[in-house]
Amino acid sequence: MAGAAATPPAMMRAVQYDACGGGAAGLKHVEVPVPSAKKNEVLLKLEAATINPVDWKIQKGMLRPLLPRRLPFIPVTDVAGVVAGVGPGVNDFAVGDQVVAMLNSMNGGGLAEYAVAAANLTVKRTPNVSAAEGAGLPIAAGTALQALRSIGAKFDGTGEPLNVLVTAASGGVGLYAVQLAKLANLHVTATCGARNAELVRGLGADEVLDYRTPEGAAMRSPSGRRYDGVVHCTVGVGWPAFEPLMAPRGKVIDITPNFSAMLTSALHAVTLRRKRLVPLLLSPNKADLEFLVGLVGEGKLRTVVDSRFPLGDAAKAWQKSIDGHATGKIVVEMEG
């Protein structure tokens, strides 16, 4: 039985922005009413949230007119905390349950002391999965998992021993992709900066290339293997660079596709190309999140934390994400 929790207060601390643009300086600390859980929702007392590049891209206006849906907007979707209340129709959660959740991207809400999450994108975590570890998972690990499945990776022991390349392997998605690929028994070549080579190798990469060297920039496997798939986590490298490196039916899964990548992908689809560029947009679902949280609980998957900031320093965390080159996840913690 879950433990009891105090009744939520009427007001809470939060960080929001009132207009698109402005970067970290555009974030404002406010006191706003604690939201209430509606049908099929849970109210969470947040302990940790993680910032993803999509969060500041929304603020920058790069996803307009879709997001942000309204202003002012409390950003961030990837959170972990404790259930503080349940709405009608919720039978799987009780007050006091420790959970990980992905908030609705239309509503955001993660940079706050409380947030409302859909029950179907909330999963329980065991006590050995910390809030920071759990909050790192929804977008970054979810994207890595779906990218690898798109390549053909299987996690039940029945998959083929595919060869994969992970670009920007020391970033938020890349570090999960390396670990998940090894859990699927794939051969992993990874690119990253020299300072993170040992970390990436320690998480399972079979070959690590320094992207700043000619060999790393070429992305060719030192063993001469052709890639059955690429989890492409960086920008500025297009299809022509990958095509000669791919196996006959190889797929490049682009997690940050630009307009050119979308056109290339469409062309490949209509011409029935065997080698293909495939843009990936995360499709959040409870089953994947449960799988990932379970792996962390079993010690098979690790969330690498780059840095931690209290909610009062959320602007510093925001700026660190904008600056790039974080090694792993940037965490905002609500206590303190």
Side-chain angles (χ1 to χ4, degrees):
M1 224 20 218
T7 301
M11 303 293 287
M12 67 177 184
R13 294 183 301 145
V15 175
Q16 66 183 29
Y17 51 85
D18 300 327
C20 286
L27 299 180
K28 297 181 179 179
H29 291 266
V30 294
E31 288 243 336
V32 295
V34 171
S36 57
K38 299 180 177 64
K39 185 178 180 180
N40 299 322
E41 292 180 337
V42 290
L43 175 65
L44 307 181
K45 184 179 191 300
L46 300 184
E47 296 175 336
T50 59
I51 296 173
N52 293 286
V54 70
D55 295 316
W56 52 262
K57 289 178 181 179
I58 292 170
Q59 183 207 27
K60 197 172 179 180
M62 295 172 68
L63 275 70
R64 295 173 79 178
L66 181 64
L67 294 169
R69 190 167 68 174
R70 67 172 70 89
L71 293 168
F73 187 73
I74 300 173
V76 175
T77 59
D78 291 9
V79 301
V82 177
V83 174
V86 298
V90 176
N91 301 311
D92 297 337
F93 297 99
V95 171
D97 285 345
Q98 295 179 308
V99 297
V100 176
M102 182 174 175
L103 308 180
N104 185 320
S105 58
M106 293 290 185
N107 300 326
L111 290 186
E113 292 179 304
Y114 289 84
V116 166
N120 65 1
L121 283 177
T122 303
V123 305
K124 295 177 184 177
R125 59 185 167 96
T126 52
N128 65 326
V129 179
S130 72
E133 289 173 316
L137 296 172
I139 287 180
T143 298
L145 178 64
Q146 291 182 14
L148 288 165
R149 284 183 174 151
S150 297
I151 290 166
K154 296 185 178 180
F155 296 88
D156 58 2
T158 64
E160 298 289 324
L162 304 173
N163 300 314
V164 299
L165 170 68
V166 179
T167 64
S170 60
V173 175
L175 287 168
Y176 287 125
V178 169
Q179 297 176 78
L180 290 167
K182 292 312 296 181
L183 287 174
N185 296 313
L186 309 187
H187 181 277
V188 179
T189 304
T191 68
C192 64
R195 69 187 176 94
N196 293 317
E198 285 308 308
L199 169 64
V200 172
R201 192 173 284 110
L203 292 175
D206 299 285
E207 302 171 331
V208 180
L209 302 172
D210 178 357
Y211 74 91
R212 291 186 178 92
T213 66
E215 296 80 9
M219 300 181 295
R220 194 174 300 277
S221 168
S223 61
R225 300 167 189 250
R226 298 280 178 135
Y227 300 123
D228 298 293
V230 177
V231 181
H232 185 28
C233 304
T234 190
V235 295
V237 182
W239 170 251
F242 292 110
E243 186 172 18
L245 308 176
M246 305 306 294
R249 294 185 179 275
K251 293 181 181 178
V252 175
I253 311 300
D254 191 344
I255 71 164
T256 57
N258 57 20
F259 184 67
S260 173
M262 300 295 275
L263 285 179
T264 300
S265 173
L267 180 64
H268 288 178
V270 299
T271 57
L272 304 179
R273 286 284 295 271
R274 295 171 73 195
K275 297 181 183 181
R276 294 180 60 181
L277 176 69
V278 181
L280 177 73
L281 298 176
L282 176 68
S283 178
N285 65 85
K286 187 164 188 163
D288 282 358
L289 192 53
E290 284 180 331
F291 176 66
L292 294 164
V293 172
L295 290 177
V296 175
E298 294 165 12
K300 295 178 180 177
L301 183 66
R302 174 183 162 200
T303 292
V304 177
V305 174
D306 174 271
S307 48
R308 300 171 186 256
F309 298 86
L311 184 60
D313 284 339
K316 293 180 181 178
W318 198 259
Q319 187 61 50
K320 189 168 184 64
S321 182
I322 292 172
D323 290 343
H325 300 292
T327 303
K329 300 300 298 179
I330 298 168
V331 180
V332 175
E333 296 176 311
M334 306 313 159
E335 300 294 339

